Amino acid sequence: MARYWPEPSFTHGLSNRTGILLVNLGTPDAPTAKALRPYLKEFLSDPRVVEIPRAIWWPILNGIILNTRPPKSAAKYASIWMDEGSPLRVHTERQSKLLKGFLNVGTGTDIDVAWAMRYGEPSIQDGLHALREKRCGRILVVPLYPQYSSSTTASVMDEVTRCMQHWRNLPEIRYVRSFHDDPGYISAIAQSVREHWIKNGEPERLLMSFHGVPRRTLELGDPYHCECHKTARLVAESLSFPTDRILVTFQSRFGKAEWLKPYTQPTLEVLARDGVTRVDVICPGFVSDCLETLEEIALECKEAFLTHGGRTFHYIPCLNERHDWISALTEITRTQLGHWLDIAPDSPDELAKARQRALDHGAKS
């Protein structure tokens, strides 16, 4: 539910601070059907996510999906829930703290970093409010989706705009659109694979699974499919792994419409039936482990591969809190911050003087 706060008071003489808002997809508050229902309703009500006319989709969503899917999804979440909470929430919060440290330690900067979920809590509205309360008049929004898609990145931009439509004193806003070919991001993925292979040897096949979207989005001009393939090509080149042993697939298909192909689980089943005994799977479209990686890939797809004749299945974790990934994220944000990094925050003495000037001005008025 939307929450509204009064406009912060404006104090003459105080300069704006710079803030960063990391945004990930979202998660329910608990692995229960009760918690899943509002989360799924918010997620599946977004017209960027489900591009079906509301008159057709609304009865399906409220009459069927929200009455049948929450218990099933809750069981899936329960299988991967951490002591601290949802994996996606835990990793995103940790990444925000590490990013703040990487940005500020030893650099003389003082940048605020908040985090939010597009669906669920903390909301984008919560994150923006936290930065506004810290006097951030410059905000860099970083959707944690490496590959741009209308259903993810654009939806974040929509929500940021919606949340600020009643603000009187608007901040400067910048966005990180995508980082699918960022050298640091590519290098971190490749290094995580190398480290896994040093311990376990190389597989017969390396499968890169990205989250799927309806094929119609590609036909309408969404660049997501192309950016996924560019990421996969760059990772493969960095690994110097034979291209005929690498596959790019798409997971998490929902509904009856055709989505981007090939689909991940059916591909794994075919590989197993064809005599491939070992497969390693990575998910470069996710920077944090979540339901789609820990349950769908590491559990469901593993079972499917082994059931159809495969012998060894390795899921290579997402980047999460890897040092090289946080370093890459730091450089991504630094690039987008640009000259904002040169604007130093007020010192304590300057703040005190500005407050006194404001008090004196008020007394004279």
Side-chain angles (χ1 to χ4, degrees):
M1 180 179 293
R3 291 180 288 278
Y4 298 95
W5 295 272
E7 191 82 15
S9 59
F10 178 77
T11 302
H12 293 277
L14 293 182
S15 63
N16 287 326
R17 295 173 60 84
T18 297
I20 295 173
L21 182 64
L22 299 183
V23 184
N24 221 317
L25 184 73
T27 179
D29 292 332
T32 64
K34 181 179 180 180
L36 258 296
R37 196 174 194 279
Y39 167 69
L40 288 175
K41 183 169 185 178
E42 182 183 12
F43 174 46
L44 297 175
S45 296
D46 188 343
R48 290 277 195 182
V49 173
V50 181
E51 298 184 69
I52 298 175
R54 187 181 180 92
I56 298 174
W57 176 240
W58 213 240
I60 297 173
L61 175 62
N62 290 279
I64 300 175
I65 294 174
L66 293 180
N67 291 318
T68 60
R69 191 168 177 181
K72 297 177 182 178
S73 294
K76 293 178 183 291
Y77 272 102
S79 70
I80 54 98
W81 208 257
M82 302 170 67
D83 291 340
E84 305 97 311
S86 164
L88 184 65
R89 182 187 179 101
V90 171
H91 290 305
T92 304
E93 182 175 13
R94 290 175 181 173
Q95 289 168 355
S96 70
K97 292 178 179 178
L98 288 169
L99 175 63
K100 181 176 176 63
F102 274 49
L103 280 168
N104 294 332
V105 173
T107 64
T109 60
D110 185 18
I111 296 173
D112 294 296
V113 180
W115 61 281
M117 296 292 169
R118 175 60 185 89
Y119 314 102
E121 304 294 336
S123 67
I124 288 177
Q125 188 177 41
D126 294 333
L128 290 172
H129 174 67
L131 293 175
R132 182 163 70 156
E133 285 294 294
K134 292 182 178 179
R135 203 164 39 84
C136 291
R138 299 176 295 272
I139 298 175
L140 172 66
V141 181
V142 186
L144 290 171
Y145 314 119
Q147 297 79 26
Y148 174 94
S149 172
S150 171
S151 60
T152 53
T153 315
S155 180
V156 168
M157 295 176 179
D158 289 347
E159 183 64 7
V160 169
T161 301
R162 187 196 69 79
C163 289
M164 294 193 303
Q165 62 184 350
H166 296 299
W167 289 20
R168 180 172 296 277
N169 189 7
L170 290 174
E172 291 183 76
I173 293 287
R174 293 177 183 172
Y175 295 95
V176 172
R177 183 184 181 279
S178 69
F179 49 92
H180 66 285
D181 56 358
D182 176 76
Y185 154 74
I186 297 296
S187 177
I189 295 173
Q191 184 59 26
S192 72
V193 175
R194 289 191 198 97
E195 291 172 5
H196 178 81
W197 287 352
I198 289 172
K199 295 179 180 179
N200 303 281
E202 293 185 357
E204 294 173 66
R205 298 289 187 278
L206 174 64
L207 190 147
M208 302 189 200
S209 180
F210 294 84
H211 198 288
V213 295
R215 179 173 177 78
R216 180 172 176 270
T217 62
L218 171 62
E219 297 166 351
L220 291 174
D222 199 305
Y224 178 74
H225 179 263
C226 298
E227 293 192 1
C228 289
H229 275 277
K230 184 172 184 181
T231 295
R233 175 176 60 80
L234 293 174
V235 171
E237 290 174 357
S238 181
L239 289 170
S240 298
F241 198 65
T243 56
D244 60 346
R245 292 166 59 187
I246 292 179
L247 299 95
V248 176
T249 61
F250 297 89
Q251 64 185 84
S252 309
R253 185 166 68 97
F254 176 75
K256 297 181 179 180
E258 181 182 357
W259 282 37
L260 297 180
K261 292 181 177 179
Y263 303 141
T264 298
Q265 184 169 319
T267 298
L268 288 166
E269 293 172 358
V270 170
L271 289 174
R273 286 196 295 266
D274 288 347
V276 174
T277 60
R278 175 180 162 182
V279 168
D280 286 1
V281 181
I282 60 172
C283 297
F286 301 91
V287 297
S288 300
D289 274 311
C290 56
L291 183 74
E292 287 79 4
T293 64
L294 298 175
E295 196 281 331
E296 184 179 357
I297 298 298
L299 295 179
E300 287 188 14
C301 285
K302 176 180 180 178
E303 181 180 1
F305 180 70
L306 299 180
T307 298
H308 286 79
R311 295 179 184 176
T312 305
F313 180 101
H314 290 164
Y315 165 64
I316 301 174
C318 289
L319 297 174
N320 296 325
E321 293 85 51
R322 286 181 59 93
H323 185 278
D324 49 9
W325 156 236
I326 302 301
S327 294
L329 181 60
T330 301
E331 291 308 308
I332 291 169
T333 56
R334 281 183 174 280
T335 298
Q336 292 297 327
L337 287 169
H339 78 280
W340 285 357
L341 288 171
D342 300 326
I343 306 175
D346 296 304
S347 68
D349 288 343
E350 289 170 335
L351 292 177
K353 292 177 182 178
R355 292 191 184 98
Q356 189 59 51
R357 287 197 299 271
L359 290 173
D360 295 342
H361 177 78
K364 292 178 181 179
S365 299

